[in-house]
Amino acid sequence: MAIYKGDNTNNTITGSINADFIYGYAGNDKLIGLGGADYIDGGDGNDGLEGGEGNDTLIGGNGADYADYSSATNGITANLTMGKAFGQGLDTLKTFEDIKGSQFDDTLIGDGGANALYGNDGTDKLFGLDGNDVLHAGFNENTDGDDILHGGKGDDTLYGSTGKDRLYGDDGDDTIYGYFLFDTNMLFGGNGNDKIYGGSGNDWLDGGEGDDILDDAYTGSMWNNSTLKGGNGKDVFHGGFAKDKIIMTETIAATDIVIINLLDSKLKVDNIMGKYVNGVDTITGFTLSNGVTIKGVDQLDIQSINIAANTTGVDGVNAGIIRSHAIKNGIISFDDANTYSSALDLTAGNLGGVFKYLQNNFGKGETFAFTAAGNTYLYQDDGSFHEASIIPDNDMVVQLNGVTATNLNTNGLAAGGIWLV
């Protein structure tokens, strides 16, 4: 048995394979016990204590201290509420704020204070409990597993990693990040006003209750097709640059906002075959204007607003069966005759021809909507030359599922309208 003492500077002290007493005193110390039943006291400062093998007693002391199991040879379970950890012996933990897990499958549990829990590699389970916690699923993009993180009560920050991670903010105003590589994370805000940022994979972002921000454009990925789901509260949805599904359904009316970026929700059309390939964002649960109040009316935030002018009938450049059109209050309808007479009842099979017709006959920035197969499609031409060999096309299309809009407006007051901002 040996006694190791630091001083009031930042010390790194490594004990022996036997039972040691190690004292860090003041300073930000790194204290390592190795083997044996060690007694390690960090003292003042922000210390890292690693007991090693054996039944150790680890005391963090004053400061933001962490119990370090990153060198453990197997998975561990550490619980700051109980003050115990097992997996390489049965350790007693006192006055710690943070835990670093092993490279294997760990369970890390915080306490009523503000904790930082680091899963590292393996398939980990992290529980922050009360307090404003920070939870990291892991850092190694090659060997990290499918982790589960629960923030618990408090305003927590959660970070996903590689693998199919599930992150739950639970109660409080939480901030949650998916991983920047192409794994699929499931991110749940829970109760509170949460901020949820998708990664580069096909993530699921679920705000839950509260006024949430769901942002899948955070990493700037061009390939991820994610799902963004709101809930009750004033939510903001910001899809990525690929095809996203946005679910705005709620039981208590509130004004939600969907943001469509430049180059987001791009139209993709096979111009040679005239076949529409769905590459646009779809929105379910969008609430149109009711003509009475703006309360509970949803907003669509697009890059520019240039609602197309009214016209009673125009013989356009044909595309398939689409030969002419009329526009009223931003809603365009089509006819299969050269002289417009009455609106065609469009089906999903007509969409390819409709979009080609719009490209043939309209210019940059013109915005309008039309209905087909029970959905409303908002269209904005980007002004580029439409060449058959160029796919995808950069025109913006947003599909509003299950609604029939009768106008486009900029104040949210015209009944049956899409409120553009």
Side-chain angles (χ1 to χ4, degrees), residues 344-352 354 370-374 377:
L344 283 174
D345 186 11
L346 299 174
T347 68
N350 298 133
L351 290 173
V354 168
F370 65 91
T371 60
Y377 296 83

Side-chain angles (χ1 to χ4, degrees), residues 1-137:
M1 179 179 294
I3 299 176
Y4 301 85
K5 295 182 178 181
D7 52 30
N8 291 331
T9 63
N10 299 334
N11 303 292
T12 298
I13 302 175
T14 302
S16 70
I17 61 172
N18 301 312
D20 302 312
F21 288 88
I22 304 176
Y23 301 91
Y25 298 118
N28 301 329
D29 306 313
K30 177 63 176 178
L31 310 178
I32 304 170
L34 298 182
D38 303 310
Y39 181 95
I40 306 177
D41 188 340
D44 293 342
N46 303 328
D47 307 311
L49 277 62
E50 180 179 340
E53 299 291 338
N55 301 329
D56 305 309
T57 298
L58 308 179
I59 303 172
N62 295 325
D65 307 306
Y66 63 93
D68 188 355
Y69 292 92
S70 58
S71 297
T73 56
N74 49 261
I76 60 102
T77 296
N79 188 323
L80 294 181
T81 300
M82 297 180 61
K84 296 292 182 182
F86 62 89
Q88 55 172 14
L90 178 59
D91 296 336
T92 298
L93 307 178
K94 297 181 180 180
T95 59
F96 281 99
E97 290 72 36
D98 311 329
I99 309 172
K100 291 186 178 180
S102 74
Q103 310 307 317
F104 304 94
D105 301 345
D106 304 315
T107 299
L108 309 181
I109 303 171
D111 56 21
N115 308 125
L117 307 178
Y118 302 87
N120 289 326
D121 291 353
T123 299
D124 304 311
K125 298 179 181 179
L126 279 57
F127 302 89
L129 302 185
D130 294 352
N132 301 332
D133 306 308
V134 178
L135 279 60
H136 292 261

Side-chain angles (χ1 to χ4, degrees), residues 77-308:
T77 296
N79 188 323
L80 294 181
T81 300
M82 297 180 61
K84 296 292 182 182
F86 62 89
Q88 55 172 14
L90 178 59
D91 296 336
T92 298
L93 307 178
K94 297 181 180 180
T95 59
F96 281 99
E97 290 72 36
D98 311 329
I99 309 172
K100 291 186 178 180
S102 74
Q103 310 307 317
F104 304 94
D105 301 345
D106 304 315
T107 299
L108 309 181
I109 303 171
D111 56 21
N115 308 125
L117 307 178
Y118 302 87
N120 289 326
D121 291 353
T123 299
D124 304 311
K125 298 179 181 179
L126 279 57
F127 302 89
L129 302 185
D130 294 352
N132 301 332
D133 306 308
V134 178
L135 279 60
H136 292 261
F139 300 98
N140 192 322
E141 63 188 55
N142 296 315
T143 58
D144 195 30
D146 300 336
D147 306 309
I148 298 175
L149 280 61
H150 278 273
K153 295 181 179 179
D155 302 337
D156 307 308
T157 303
L158 283 63
Y159 297 89
S161 183
T162 55
K164 297 178 180 179
D165 295 336
R166 288 178 287 167
L167 281 60
Y168 301 85
D170 299 324
D171 293 345
D173 301 338
D174 306 308
T175 303
I176 304 175
Y177 297 91
Y179 198 56
F180 66 90
L181 291 181
F182 298 109
D183 292 277
T184 297
N185 294 160
M186 300 189 71
L187 314 174
F188 300 89
N191 294 328
N193 303 326
D194 307 307
K195 298 177 181 178
I196 306 178
Y197 302 95
S200 297
N202 298 329
D203 298 324
W204 175 280
L205 285 64
D206 189 329
E209 301 292 312
D211 302 339
D212 305 310
I213 297 174
L214 288 74
D215 187 351
D216 197 48
Y218 175 71
T219 62
S221 174
M222 299 292 288
W223 301 279
N224 54 322
N225 301 321
S226 298
T227 299
L228 287 66
K229 183 177 183 294
N232 291 330
K234 298 178 180 179
D235 301 318
V236 176
F237 302 84
H238 193 183
F241 294 116
K243 173 185 173 183
D244 297 307
K245 296 180 180 179
I246 297 173
I247 303 172
M248 307 173 67
T249 306
E250 55 194 1
T251 58
I252 301 174
T255 295
D256 301 320
I257 303 173
V258 178
I259 300 172
I260 304 296
N261 274 336
L262 181 68
L263 299 182
D264 183 20
S265 198
K266 294 184 293 185
L267 173 62
K268 300 178 182 179
V269 175
D270 180 345
N271 286 331
I272 297 175
M273 302 299 295
K275 181 181 179 182
Y276 167 57
V277 180
N278 188 347
V280 307
D281 291 349
T282 61
I283 302 175
T284 300
F286 189 91
T287 301
L288 300 174
S289 306
N290 55 48
V292 178
T293 177
I294 61 173
K295 182 179 180 180
V297 178
D298 295 325
Q299 299 177 340
L300 195 55
D301 184 347
I302 59 178
Q303 291 299 305
S304 63
I305 301 174
N306 179 20
I307 299 173

